[in-house]
């Protein structure tokens, strides 16, 4: 039972390049989230999904896209990387219960030069 | 506009003493509060939570207190241990609002250092 896995762990991109951050969970949780954490800041929600086929924007969605074709996978796409997207990205999941917490993956550290 | 505030970026405590981490919020609609602990190069891990119908929740060495009228919560760690050294994030949600997304709003975190 791996929980929430994220790949890659680290990545350096050039301005204008594209990439997909992968997130996979084996907990059969309906809800999945993408956050970014900038240095000295809290986590900010980028996108979330309440189930396969359903996604919605969070607080900072600009420059990102997501899809949710299966319960297990929730990839985050950066189409035209910008230095402002340098950050650590965390994927999280939770069940549908009212008081359940969110479980986080180990993160992907992305640098855009 | 920061809805969840942790005004102390860092805190140092001697091993065995009490650590008190504070968190303030501005949105009176928040009804569920959580504390997460984060080690370097790892994702946040859930520590303890409290719903707005309670004013205290305890789990071993960790206790969270909620003062709704002051929109303030605190995390007490007693006794503090060197392994508790980490960044602690306060988070809040509208868990019972029926919004459906259970989004968490995070504070900026407090770095706790427990000195042996």
């Amino acid at each position: 039972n791996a929980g929430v896995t994220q790949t890659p762990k680290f990545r350096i991109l050039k301005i204008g390049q594209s990439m997909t951050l992968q997130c996979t969970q084996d907990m059969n949780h309906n809800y999945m989230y993408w956050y970014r954490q900038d240095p000295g800041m809290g986590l900010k929600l980028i996108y979330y999904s309440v189930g396969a086929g359903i996604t919605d924007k969070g607080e900072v969605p600009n420059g990102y896209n997501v899809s949710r074709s299966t319960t297990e996978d929730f990839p985050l796409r950066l189409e035209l990387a910008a230095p402002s997207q340098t950050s650590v990205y965390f994927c999280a999941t939770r069940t549908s219960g009212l008081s359940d917490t969110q479980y986080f993956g180990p993160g992907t550290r992305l640098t855009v030069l | 506009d920061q809805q969840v505030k942790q005004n102390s970026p860092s805190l140092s405590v001697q091993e065995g003493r009490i650590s008190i981490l504070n968190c303030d919020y501005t949105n009176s609609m928040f009804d569920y509060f959580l504390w997460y602990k984060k080690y370097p190069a790892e994702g946040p891990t859930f520590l303890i939570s409290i719903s707005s119908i309670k004013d205290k929740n305890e789990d071993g060495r960790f206790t969270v207190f909620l003062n709704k009228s002051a929109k303030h919560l605190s995390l007490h760690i007693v006794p503090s241990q060197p392994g508790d050294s980490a960044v602690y994030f306060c988070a809040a949600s509208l868990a019972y609002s029926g919004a459906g997304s259970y989004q968490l709003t995070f504070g900026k975190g407090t770095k706790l250092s427990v000195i042996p």
Side-chain angles (χ1 to χ4, degrees):
Chain A
N1 193 347
V4 182
T5 58
Q6 292 184 239
T7 57
K9 284 187 168 42
F10 305 95
R11 183 73 184 268
I12 297 175
L13 282 182
K14 294 183 179 178
I15 293 172
Q17 286 186 320
S18 302
M19 78 164 293
T20 299
L21 283 68
Q22 302 291 346
C23 175
T24 301
Q25 54 112 349
D26 61 2
M27 297 182 287
N28 201 33
H29 286 173
N30 289 326
Y31 293 79
M32 295 188 76
Y33 307 82
W34 274 106
Y35 292 91
R36 59 177 286 174
Q37 185 194 8
D38 299 331
M41 302 295 286
L43 283 73
K44 293 192 175 181
L45 184 64
I46 305 171
Y47 270 96
Y48 66 94
S49 169
V50 301
I54 306 170
T55 63
D56 208 346
K57 296 177 180 178
E59 183 184 357
V60 289
N62 291 343
Y64 306 94
N65 277 301
V66 294
S67 60
R68 183 97 181 271
S69 56
T70 66
T71 299
E72 294 77 20
D73 299 302
F74 190 38
L76 177 71
R77 178 86 177 157
L78 283 72
E79 290 294 348
L80 290 170
S84 61
Q85 294 177 304
T86 295
S87 190
V88 181
Y89 292 84
F90 293 101
C91 178
T93 74
R94 63 161 283 154
T95 66
S96 305
L98 280 176
S99 60
D100 282 349
T101 185
Q102 291 186 18
Y103 298 89
F104 284 82
T108 295
R109 183 175 293 274
L110 176 67
T111 301
V112 182
L113 301 174
Chain B
D1 179 32
Q2 227 185 322
Q3 297 190 67
V4 177
K5 299 177 185 179
Q6 293 177 257
N7 292 320
S8 298
S10 62
L11 175 68
S12 288
V13 172
Q14 287 289 130
E15 180 179 3
R17 306 293 283 268
I18 184 171
S19 295
I20 300 176
L21 294 90
N22 294 304
C23 177
D24 298 293
Y25 61 96
T26 58
N27 187 345
S28 58
M29 299 298 291
F30 286 141
D31 52 18
Y32 195 68
F33 304 90
L34 308 91
W35 285 94
Y36 280 84
K37 177 179 180 179
K38 186 181 179 306
Y39 292 117
E42 294 184 11
T45 55
F46 170 72
L47 191 58
I48 193 169
S49 62
I50 188 168
S51 73
S52 57
I53 60 173
K54 295 185 175 182
D55 55 17
K56 178 182 174 181
N57 189 27
E58 196 169 353
D59 184 2
R61 297 186 297 113
F62 303 92
T63 303
V64 57
F65 296 91
L66 175 63
N67 182 332
K68 282 182 63 179
S69 61
K71 296 192 183 68
H72 176 83
L73 63 155
S74 61
L75 173 69
H76 292 211
I77 306 173
V78 183
S80 301
Q81 299 173 354
D84 296 329
S85 296
V87 177
Y88 289 78
F89 290 99
C90 173
S93 80
L94 301 167
Y96 298 93
S97 69
S101 66
Y102 306 116
Q103 296 179 36
L104 293 179
T105 301
F106 283 85
K108 292 185 178 181
T110 296
K111 183 176 181 180
L112 174 65
S113 300
V114 180
I115 304 162

